[in-house]
Amino acid sequence: MSAAEPSDGAPRIDRVAVAVVVLTVAALAARFVGLGARPFHWDEARVGYWSLRFLDSGAFEYRPIAGGPLLYVVDRTVFALVGATDATARAAVAVVGGLAPLAALLVRRGPDDGTVPRYRLGDAETVALAALLAASPVLLYYGRFLRGDVPLAVFSLVVVGCAIRVLDGAGPRYRYLGAAALALAVASSGFVVGYVLCWLAAAALTVDQRRLVGEGPSARDHVTRAAERLRGSTRSALGALAVFLVVHVFFYAPRVGGSIRPSPATVEAAVLGAARTFYGVRIVGRRQGGEHELLPYLSAHAETLLAASGVVLALAVVGFLADRYGRGPSRPIVAFHAYWAGASLLVFPVVTEESAAWLTVHTVAPALVPAAAAVGLLVRYGTRALDRSDATAVAVAGLLGLALVGQVGVAVAGTAYGPTTTENPLVHHAQPADDLDPFVADVSAAIEGNRGTDVLFYGSTFVPAGPDGAAAERPPVSDTWGNRLPLPWYLERMGAETDGVRDLRGLEATETPPVVVADASQRSTLAPRLDGYEARTYRLSLWNREVVVFVR
């Protein structure tokens, strides 16, 4: 008998599934409200700019230095359909992050019919996991941010959830769904390498934990049985491999004229070529001078986690310890995700090239499962107190619940919707401190109907000694072009023609365009020579990046 049907055979509403769907709708709404209000971060501007270049030229080739290809391919389609804005550019990430609560259903405990193990999450824990995926401050902030971190984390949770279903003996559809999710995770970010390392460490520790407490078969038998179930039949294994390759090739294949040319060479470039390129840039390139000290990165990672997700981490620790040392058998699903989160504390500060707040996504996402177990523990405590009519215990449980909700709400208000200042622990230094909507409005009005160069960048800060390189057809680009960020995204979006001169002699030899952009320190130098122009300064980062924009 199905868990969704009562004894009389009449259909019954699955309240847990309904609750998860409601939380998913709320998560989507939370990510789309004011999605375009915050100006583009430099990293977002790179992705947006090259997506526009892809739309314009139809040419695309995977380049590891620019991140995974998923967002470029998806945003190119979004821009072609609905146009390019800050909100539409972030929409794909917002959708993936908003749908994340549905992943909780993959690890929900099934009916107690003797065929499905009872070591997954219970109903209250499933709803708690969906709520945490919807409202976790880190996932909410970077679910409104044009980077591949949240898609990688969400697709990875789906991969693990599907693997758990397959281990439980579910049908091959979960093997195919897991294969597609794995290919999407690989296309999201090169950080997927760190996930594989975390998974291997978590699996080894989970098996070892079961060996130590004497639960189930021996470690060797457990690993053998798990490998056999994951592999499945030859037909389903080949089907899963085919699904993975189709999705992988779709995102990694080079494109000419906006389309993929089906051929063995295209498949080779998408599979072996992409792997060789990634290894050359991210592995060999790192060995040749990209190393960094571990302790500063590790301490910065931990500091950001505590500041932005201290409540979630505390819940995760409580959930893991209660499940590991509490009454009854421990659950591998809780242990695996806890060990995954623990391994990420070390892995990501090692594999990253820059210490940034978005690394917290990769620790928080797996930590939500043991955190949900802790919430479930609180719910069970409160339920038992109600059954005993213990008013004191009910009050304690209620106060703890309100405190948890309040703390998460305060964290969300101060981070995901908080100010873009140094007081916000999730704001990276490359986030513009000023609103750039006035810049877009002024420049758009000034260049309307203009012929020739629309925007001129002035000074060695923005213009290289050799050829300008302002077009930046493909990454990598010069440091001087990088100093212009995030303005190239906005200028490309409005179709502005750009050029650059390094000094006053170059400026005097050029017909002055409607807009001139320079470092703020050059304002007094340029103002006398740009009579009739209005000047306005913008802070393009939290510190040390201020420009002056002269508009005719």
Side-chain angles (χ1 to χ4, degrees):
M1 182 184 301
S2 171
E5 295 181 359
S7 58
D8 60 5
R12 184 176 63 188
I13 296 175
D14 188 338
R15 295 180 179 178
V16 173
V18 171
V20 170
V21 170
V22 170
L23 288 168
T24 301
V25 173
L28 287 167
R31 282 154 178 79
F32 275 92
V33 171
L35 186 58
R38 188 177 61 242
F40 257 34
H41 180 280
W42 300 355
D43 273 20
E44 293 183 288
R46 292 186 185 97
V47 177
Y49 177 86
W50 283 314
S51 297
L52 285 171
R53 297 299 303 173
F54 176 25
L55 175 63
D56 182 58
S57 67
F60 177 79
E61 181 180 357
Y62 167 61
R63 293 179 177 269
I65 197 171
L70 182 139
L71 293 179
Y72 298 98
V73 174
V74 172
D75 268 1
R76 189 256 186 186
T77 303
V78 171
F79 294 163
L81 292 175
V82 298
T85 66
D86 290 359
T88 59
R90 293 168 173 152
V93 177
V95 168
V96 174
L99 294 177
L102 295 176
L105 296 175
L106 289 172
V107 293
R108 180 190 179 191
R109 187 163 60 203
D112 189 17
D113 58 4
T115 61
V116 180
R118 294 297 299 268
Y119 58 69
R120 295 205 297 261
L121 299 185
D123 288 350
E125 294 169 324
T126 301
V127 175
L129 176 57
L132 290 170
L133 285 167
S136 172
V138 169
L139 297 187
L140 184 52
Y141 185 92
Y142 285 106
R144 298 156 53 82
F145 196 95
L146 187 57
R147 273 186 60 93
D149 300 278
V150 164
L152 171 59
V154 173
F155 292 135
S156 296
L157 288 173
V158 173
V159 170
V160 173
C162 289
I164 291 170
R165 289 282 182 171
V166 171
L167 290 173
D168 286 350
R173 64 183 182 275
Y174 289 106
R175 186 173 286 109
Y176 303 146
L177 175 60
L182 180 59
L184 290 170
V186 172
S188 296
S189 171
F191 277 153
V192 71
V193 174
Y195 275 70
V196 173
L197 295 175
C198 291
W199 288 341
L200 292 175
L205 291 170
T206 303
V207 171
D208 189 61
Q209 173 180 307
R210 291 174 66 81
R211 179 188 65 82
L212 289 174
V213 299
E215 294 178 353
S218 66
R220 178 177 296 179
D221 292 341
H222 186 80
V223 171
T224 301
R225 182 180 303 177
E228 290 175 351
R229 288 194 172 184
L230 287 174
R231 183 174 62 250
S233 66
T234 301
R235 179 179 179 180
S236 63
L238 290 176
L241 178 61
V243 170
F244 175 86
L245 288 177
V246 167
V247 177
H248 181 84
V249 170
F250 176 79
F251 285 104
Y252 277 88
R255 286 166 166 79
V256 178
S259 60
I260 301 173
R261 296 180 178 177
S263 68
T266 297
V267 175
E268 192 277 338
V271 180
L272 298 179
R276 285 194 299 265
T277 303
F278 179 86
Y279 178 79
V281 173
R282 294 302 189 188
I283 307 299
V284 176
R286 288 288 299 279
R287 289 205 312 261
Q288 295 175 347
E291 299 87 357
H292 60 259
E293 296 182 8
L294 174 60
L295 187 57
Y297 279 49
L298 183 62
S299 61
H301 184 50
E303 182 180 351
T304 305
L305 279 169
L306 291 174
S309 291
V311 174
V312 169
L313 293 183
L315 287 173
V317 171
V318 170
F320 169 69
L321 293 177
D323 194 83
R324 174 68 175 82
Y325 298 105
R327 299 175 182 177
S330 61
R331 291 175 291 178
I333 185 174
V334 176
F336 179 87
H337 284 83
Y339 290 135
W340 172 5
S344 73
L345 290 173
L346 179 62
V347 168
F348 285 96
V350 170
V351 301
T352 187
E353 295 182 20
E354 179 182 6
S355 179
W358 48 71
L359 296 180
T360 56
V361 168
H362 310 296
T363 296
V364 168
L368 296 182
V369 171
V375 176
L377 184 66
L378 178 62
V379 171
R380 289 193 297 273
Y381 173 79
T383 302
R384 287 195 295 267
L386 282 173
D387 293 339
R388 298 193 308 267
S389 299
D390 187 340
T392 301
V394 171
V396 170
L399 288 174
L400 286 174
L402 288 174
L404 291 175
V405 172
Q407 286 295 320
V408 172
V410 169
V412 167
T415 56
Y417 301 104
T420 53
T421 66
T422 54
E423 297 177 358
N424 188 333
L426 294 180
V427 174
H428 188 255
H429 74 88
Q431 177 65 49
D434 287 334
D435 181 16
L436 296 181
D437 285 345
F439 169 84
V440 174
D442 291 346
V443 174
S444 297
I447 68 175
E448 185 176 358
N450 183 64
R451 295 183 179 181
T453 300
D454 296 313
V455 178
L456 185 73
F457 284 89
Y458 173 86
S460 59
T461 300
F462 303 119
V463 184
D468 182 14
E473 295 290 342
R474 60 185 62 86
V477 294
S478 66
D479 291 340
T480 53
W481 187 88
N483 290 337
R484 303 178 182 185
L485 292 168
L487 300 185
W489 151 252
Y490 293 103
L491 296 175
E492 184 71 15
R493 204 175 79 186
M494 65 182 76
E497 293 290 334
T498 64
D499 202 347
V501 295
R502 288 175 59 85
D503 50 35
L504 290 176
R505 184 171 55 184
L507 179 64
E508 293 170 354
T510 303
E511 183 178 351
T512 310
V515 180
V516 177
V517 180
D519 186 270
S521 62
Q522 300 296 320
R523 181 169 187 160
S524 59
T525 302
L526 294 177
R529 293 169 173 80
L530 296 175
D531 188 33
Y533 285 70
E534 293 184 359
R536 180 179 292 184
T537 58
Y538 296 92
R539 294 173 294 169
L540 302 185
S541 71
L542 296 185
W543 59 80
N544 294 337
R545 180 70 67 82
E546 189 172 2
V547 299
V548 57
V549 179
F550 292 89
V551 178
R552 186 171 58 199

